[in-house]
Amino acid sequence: MDHLPVGKTNDHLANERTFLAWIRTAIGIMGFGFVVVKFSLFVKQVSIMLGRETEIQQKGYSAVIGIILVAVGAFTSLLAFINYKKVKRQIETNTYHSSPALITGITFGIILVSVFLIWYLIKSV
């Protein structure tokens, strides 16, 4: 087994923890997307169970938003893996540099999806 100095071992462990945090975030985003897609079906089933057969306006927005969220989650997983491998190489060669472009891109992507969700919720009220 290849032994690394304690400092490098800690750096690699921190890199793995960061990767796993990104993966948890991606799974959360994808799960939320799934819930958004299925929400209108849930509301319809609850209204039928309560004996209030209401007609739900199907504009298709919830499916589109949900699919976009699942895609954002999958893309976040891909970026997390790419960043993990890049940081691993940088740690091994003592050339680590943070990646503000990645963090900025993901932040603005999530903000854009959030603004779209807010617009959809305001319009559907």
Side-chain angles (χ1 to χ4, degrees):
M1 184 164 155
D2 199 24
H3 294 285
L4 295 171
V6 173
K8 283 196 181 230
T9 301
N10 288 338
D11 291 343
H12 283 290
L13 292 173
N15 187 31
E16 289 178 13
R17 285 190 302 272
T18 302
F19 171 71
L20 293 174
W22 279 103
I23 294 299
R24 284 190 302 273
T25 300
I27 290 169
I29 293 169
M30 289 186 281
F32 182 60
F34 183 80
V35 168
V36 168
V37 168
K38 298 299 179 185
F39 184 71
S40 63
L41 176 63
F42 171 74
V43 170
K44 186 174 184 177
Q45 288 177 342
V46 168
S47 67
I48 290 171
M49 285 175 45
L50 294 174
R52 300 180 194 146
E53 193 149 342
T54 58
E55 190 165 322
I56 298 171
Q57 296 287 332
Q58 281 292 347
K59 297 179 182 177
Y61 292 132
S62 62
V64 171
I65 291 169
I67 291 168
I68 288 170
L69 286 169
V70 171
V72 167
F75 188 64
T76 301
S77 294
L78 176 65
L79 290 177
F81 178 73
I82 291 168
N83 190 59
Y84 168 77
K85 296 301 271 184
K86 182 185 91 170
V87 170
K88 183 177 185 280
R89 278 191 308 274
Q90 289 177 346
I91 290 170
E92 290 169 353
T93 60
N94 286 328
T95 59
Y96 175 75
H97 301 288
S98 65
S99 181
L102 174 67
I103 293 170
T104 303
I106 289 175
T107 301
F108 281 112
I110 291 175
I111 289 170
L112 181 65
V113 170
S114 300
V115 167
F116 186 66
L117 280 170
I118 291 168
W119 169 80
Y120 171 67
L121 291 173
I122 290 171
K123 190 170 180 166
S124 66
V125 171

